[in-house]
Amino acid sequence: MENEKRAELVSFLKAVPSVEFCCVYGSTLHPNNKDKSAMVDYVLGVSDPLQWHSRNLKMNADHYASWLRLLGGAKLITQIADEIGVGVHFNPFVTWNDKMLKYGVVGMHDLVQDMLNWERFYLSGRLQKPVHILVDNLDMANTNSVNLRAALSAALLPLPSKFTEEDLFAKICSLSYMGDLRMLFAEDKNKKIVQGQFDLFHLMYKPFLEEYEAKDFLRVSSSGTGHANISQDCGLPVTCSLVSSLPPAIRSQMGMKLGEKKRISSTSRAINEVIIGSREEAAKCMQKVLRRTVMV
């Protein structure tokens, strides 16, 4: 990202209480996007959402309706996010420096848990796609590597033995939209997202593709079009390895449907392993679990 653009995005953070983590996304930031009028989306990770919202209400009182402050202000916001929503509260249609933006506030604990476990699969799904990180005091980029590796594993399961790099990234995009009723009539949206940011997707997932290639899970070859061709081992041992790379919350739900068996790990710890009969069975079960999670 250009320094001038980054400085402009960071300037908004001076108008709100301090944050531990901040990333931005939105079509206006896409390298090939020509429409600069679209809304910019911020995700703000904070140590204590209730305290952060309280301070924000005081700092920006003019931007909040009086009824919200009367109803409890910050406490109401955090209760809605935690008890009804997915742990993040968004304030949309905020005008800043003649730009339209929205920002979502999430507790760092909730953000980490969603990255690692996909229990809500909202922000973890967002972070599987390209974002621009502006603040990262707790090395969340490293934590997100677990999320990206799991996303790659989940996308490989339903894909055939041969596919393109673009197919892979589109499948990764589709994971967090499964069960989203808004996507019923927008099936090619995933490919459009990838086409607009292909180089960013490639940079994000290149280390994990190389890791899986080194394990002989797949082979990557150039196609001459800039989009690599990929072939993968669809055998049961690799399928089991991919399932074992999925987050605990997803594996647990798959185990409830397919059955589990105990296995002793290399560190002499007993772990539950999902019983996999076939790759097709594993892929269908995983997709059903994700669809249900997103729908909720």
Side-chain angles (χ1 to χ4, degrees):
M1 183 186 293
E2 297 174 0
N3 290 337
E4 185 178 345
K5 180 65 175 177
R6 182 183 177 87
E8 179 186 341
L9 293 169
V10 170
S11 67
F12 168 68
L13 299 178
K14 298 175 183 177
V16 296
S18 61
V19 301
E20 298 291 341
F21 172 81
C22 172
C23 69
V24 292
Y25 60 96
S27 60
T28 186
L29 301 177
H30 294 184
N32 300 324
N33 184 68
K34 304 300 181 184
D35 178 17
K36 299 304 178 184
S37 64
M39 189 178 297
V40 179
D41 301 72
Y42 286 74
V43 172
L44 309 179
V46 303
S47 56
D48 185 336
L50 179 59
Q51 185 182 73
W52 191 94
H53 284 300
S54 297
R55 291 184 59 199
N56 193 38
L57 284 168
K58 292 176 182 177
M59 287 176 64
N60 299 287
D62 293 341
H63 293 285
Y64 294 91
S66 58
W67 67 266
L68 180 59
R69 294 197 296 276
L70 289 171
L71 283 173
K75 186 175 181 180
L76 174 65
I77 291 171
T78 52
Q79 284 179 333
I80 290 173
D82 293 337
E83 297 173 19
I84 301 175
V86 288
V88 55
H89 174 81
F90 273 96
N91 282 333
F93 308 114
V94 176
T95 303
W96 171 257
N97 284 352
D98 297 324
K99 302 286 185 182
M100 187 69 74
L101 60 89
K102 76 171 185 276
Y103 63 90
V105 181
V106 62
M108 292 301 294
H109 174 77
D110 289 339
L111 179 57
V112 170
Q113 286 303 307
D114 199 40
M115 279 183 179
L116 300 181
N117 294 319
W118 294 6
E119 289 180 358
R120 285 163 160 167
F121 204 38
Y122 183 74
L123 290 178
S124 52
R126 176 61 257 173
L127 290 167
Q128 290 166 5
K129 307 172 188 68
V131 299
H132 297 282
I133 296 177
L134 302 180
V135 177
D136 190 6
N137 294 339
L138 300 177
D139 197 15
M140 296 299 287
N142 185 50
T143 302
N144 195 45
S145 65
V146 178
N147 180 33
L148 297 183
R149 186 181 291 105
L152 175 60
S153 296
L156 288 172
L157 282 171
L159 282 169
S161 59
K162 294 183 179 180
F163 50 92
T164 67
E165 201 173 7
E166 185 180 41
D167 293 333
L168 173 63
F169 298 152
K171 182 62 69 176
I172 289 173
C173 275
S174 75
L175 296 175
S176 58
Y177 292 131
M178 291 179 184
D180 188 336
L181 299 179
R182 298 170 301 173
M183 295 296 289
L184 289 178
F185 306 102
E187 291 182 4
D188 21 332
K189 182 177 179 181
N190 298 314
K191 285 203 171 183
K192 288 180 180 177
I193 292 172
V194 171
Q195 289 166 357
Q197 308 176 85
F198 182 84
D199 290 343
L200 296 178
F201 272 99
H202 177 78
L203 284 173
M204 283 179 73
Y205 286 96
K206 184 180 178 182
F208 308 104
L209 285 170
E210 291 175 345
E211 176 188 328
Y212 280 13
E213 192 172 20
K215 291 180 177 180
D216 290 328
F217 288 5
L218 47 81
R219 291 184 179 181
V220 181
S221 59
S222 60
S223 65
T225 63
H227 297 180
N229 290 321
I230 302 174
S231 60
Q232 65 168 329
D233 182 342
C234 294
L236 204 56
V238 172
T239 299
C240 292
S241 293
L242 293 177
V243 171
S244 70
S245 297
L246 298 176
I250 303 303
R251 282 189 279 113
S252 176
Q253 292 181 67
M254 290 179 66
M256 290 173 64
K257 296 178 183 298
L258 301 178
E260 292 181 327
K261 61 182 178 182
K262 288 199 179 293
R263 179 175 66 84
I264 304 301
S265 70
S266 57
T267 57
S268 300
R269 187 166 59 93
I271 58 175
N272 290 326
E273 192 174 74
V274 181
I275 298 173
I276 305 297
S278 69
R279 190 182 188 92
E280 183 182 16
E281 178 187 63
K284 284 185 176 179
C285 183
M286 179 208 68
Q287 288 174 309
K288 189 174 182 179
V289 169
L290 290 183
R291 193 173 293 113
R292 175 63 180 168
T293 303
V294 173
M295 190 175 291
V296 170

